[in-house]
Each structure stands twice: as C-alpha cells, then as structure tokens.
Amino acid sequence: MAGVTKEESWGEYFRNSGSATWKVSKPFVNGGASGMLATCVIQPIDMIKVRIQLGQGSAGQVARTMIKNEGFGAFYKGLSAGLLRQATYTTARLGSFRVLTNKAIEANDGKPLPIVQKALCGLTAGAIGACVGSPADLALIRMQADATLPAAQRRNYQNAFHALFRIVKDEGVLALWKGAGPTVVRAMALNMGMLASYDQTVEYFKDNLGLGEYSTLVGASAVSGFFASACSLPFDYVKTQIQKMQPDASGKYPYTGSLDCAVKTFKAGGPFKFYTGFPVYCVRIAPHVMMTWIFLNQIQKLEKRIGI
C-alpha cells in the first residue's frame, strides 16, 4: 500500500490512517474474502446440485454427462457469477451478522447470547445479504442451468456482468430481483441454521467439551453446515425452479410465483420432493461453510499477525 514507510508497520499504518473505517468494514471484507475463496473450491459441487434439481439425474450421472458432453470446464461455468455473489451476499451477511451480534452482546453486558437472539441475528443478516446478492444469484442460476435448455432457448451469457447487462436490457432492471422473495426466505433460513448453530456449537465445544481450536472449528462448521442445509433446501428448491423457468409457446410461465411453485411441487411429489438432491446439497453446503469459517479464521490470524 502506498505511503507505508520502512519505519512504519502495516499495523501502525492502519492504526494511524482510517482505523475507524477499517474497524467498521473489517467484518464485511473478511466475510466476502472467505466466501469467495470457499466458492473457488466448491463450485463443481454446486453445479452438480443445480443440475440434480433440474432433473438431470443422480450426482454420478450428472458428473459423467457433463464431462462427456461439455468437458471439465463445465463444472466451473458460472464461477464469475458465484464470486460476484459471494462478494455481495456473503460480504453483507457475515459482516452484518457480526455487527448485529456484537451490538447484542454489548446490550447483554458482554455475556454470551442465547440461541434465540443468535437466530434472530442470523435471520436478519440473511435477509440483508440476500437483498444485496439477489442479482448475482440470478445470474449464477441461469448460467448453471443454460446447458440444460434446448439450443434455441439458451441465453449464452459470457460471464456474470454480461448476464446482468442482458437481463437489464431484455427484461428490465427489476428483473434482477426475479425470485428475490424465495431467495430472501431461503437466505434467512440458511443463515439462521448456519450462523446461530455455529456460534452456539463453538461455545459448547470450548466451554463444555474443552476442545482445541482446530477441533472446535471443524466440528462447529460441520454442525452448522448440516443445519444450514436442512433449514434452507426446501426454499432453495423453489428458488431454483422460479429463477430458471421459461415461458411456453403462448408466453405462459409454469408457475405464477413461489407459493404456486410450492403448492404444485407438494401436489406432484409430496414434502420429500423439496429435499431432492439433499445429500449433494448437504455435501455442497457443509464444506462451503467449513471452508468459509476456516478461511475466515486464517484471514483473522493473518490480520492479527500484521497488526491490523
């Protein structure tokens, strides 16, 4: 960074210039960075999950078909949208969750928060993150689903920014928030399960079981990943169906909205239809949660080491 002298450490530079701004933005920057790093690793599993939800077969069948027909690069189709989503959604949700919990802890005289308050903070953070990240999420879903459409119906987005430009040009600005309703609800459910259970489990593992830092980190991440999956998959299923739907020859869409999609899905397949692809979804969510927390932990250690 320009302006850092030999006599001045990185920590001193941050403390002497803009420390207040950095203190406010730090949880948001750290959250977004950790989410983006995790996405780079988990993108292939996320692609398989979307294809399963679109009825392309089991995880093994989807993977073999993709490699055979589209090549290995197909697993990373939509990566730019995935990174943009993390830069918006995860930045907002993890940052706002930490700000909300810190404020709540202050109001609680520094005592640990009960699980109900953590859940409320998670719900709020999820809603904030989803509102900010919904356009990138829409672009990601469309790019991942594009190859499953007939050639004449494919949108052929080149990258996330091209997708956003085309959506605005062809469908209007408000179309960027198509499916935002289920996206917000899904994010609230996911973050309630992920964030609240993580903080609660960390406290339990440390205080009751006396586990070390690494064991606590891995164990709490796995627990929060499971609860995030179980709470959010039904909403994720509906969201995916809404975001990828195409009008028929008469211009009519298969669903009029999220509730209509949920009702028709329930009538067609019962409650377990909403958990289509749950093993893959859980495998996708849990590692992403774990890697997000691990990357976040390492980023925080690095910042502490250099004094920022």
Side-chain angles (χ1 to χ4, degrees):
M1 182 178 294
V4 180
T5 65
K6 292 181 179 179
E7 294 78 18
E8 184 180 36
S9 69
W10 287 102
E12 290 172 335
Y13 178 84
F14 274 92
R15 284 193 293 271
N16 295 332
S17 59
S19 59
T21 301
W22 172 242
K23 183 177 180 180
V24 173
S25 61
K26 184 176 179 179
F28 295 91
V29 173
N30 291 352
S34 60
M36 292 174 74
L37 289 169
T39 292
C40 290
V41 179
I42 215 69
Q43 179 71 11
I45 300 177
D46 190 43
M47 172 65 81
I48 292 174
K49 183 267 297 183
V50 171
R51 294 291 182 89
I52 289 174
Q53 289 183 329
L54 296 178
Q56 299 298 301
S58 66
Q61 291 172 334
V62 168
R64 287 192 296 269
T65 300
M66 288 176 65
I67 293 174
K68 179 180 178 181
N69 297 337
E70 305 170 58
F72 185 78
F75 290 106
Y76 282 91
K77 189 169 186 179
L79 178 60
S80 60
L83 293 176
L84 179 61
R85 179 177 182 271
Q86 294 298 319
T88 53
Y89 168 62
T90 299
T91 296
R93 69 178 176 131
L94 291 186
S96 58
F97 177 74
R98 195 50 60 199
V99 169
L100 289 169
T101 53
N102 287 341
K103 292 292 183 182
I105 290 172
E106 288 179 12
N108 201 33
D109 297 325
K111 299 176 183 177
L113 298 178
I115 186 65
V116 174
Q117 288 187 346
K118 291 174 183 174
L120 289 175
C121 289
L123 284 169
T124 305
I128 294 171
C131 289
V132 175
S134 187
D137 190 58
L138 175 63
L140 173 62
I141 292 295
R142 287 193 175 185
M143 292 177 71
Q144 289 179 326
D146 206 42
T148 68
L149 300 173
Q153 296 181 17
R154 293 177 186 173
R155 299 179 175 95
N156 297 314
Y157 297 142
Q158 297 173 9
N159 52 55
F161 296 103
H162 180 241
L164 296 176
F165 173 78
R166 283 274 307 279
I167 292 170
V168 172
K169 180 181 178 182
D170 299 341
E171 306 169 51
V173 174
L174 293 181
L176 292 173
W177 280 270
K178 181 179 289 184
T183 297
V184 170
V185 175
R186 179 253 189 194
M188 292 173 68
L190 186 148
N191 284 279
M192 179 185 69
M194 171 186 168
L195 300 176
S197 65
Y198 178 79
D199 273 14
Q200 191 70 22
T201 306
V202 166
E203 291 176 9
Y204 179 79
F205 282 178
K206 283 184 176 180
D207 300 338
N208 295 75
L209 301 182
L211 298 183
E213 179 186 355
Y214 182 75
S215 298
T216 296
L217 178 62
V218 174
S221 298
V223 170
S224 65
F226 174 81
F227 278 103
S229 304
C231 291
S232 65
L233 181 54
F235 304 101
D236 184 79
Y237 183 88
V238 171
K239 175 184 72 70
T240 300
Q241 300 305 312
I242 292 294
Q243 289 182 327
K244 67 95 178 181
M245 65 181 180
Q246 290 267 6
D248 58 20
S250 63
K252 184 179 179 180
Y253 285 93
Y255 308 113
T256 59
S258 302
L259 182 59
D260 182 54
C261 177
V263 171
K264 289 181 178 177
T265 299
F266 184 84
K267 288 182 178 179
F272 291 108
K273 181 67 174 177
F274 294 102
Y275 283 91
T276 300
F278 179 74
V280 173
Y281 184 75
C282 192
V283 167
R284 181 261 172 189
I285 290 292
H288 192 280
V289 168
M290 293 174 69
M291 283 183 285
T292 297
W293 292 124
I294 290 171
F295 281 127
L296 180 59
N297 180 266
Q298 294 303 308
I299 290 171
Q300 291 172 335
K301 282 186 175 180
L302 175 62
E303 289 171 345
K304 185 176 181 180
R305 187 159 57 245
I306 64 178
I308 62 174

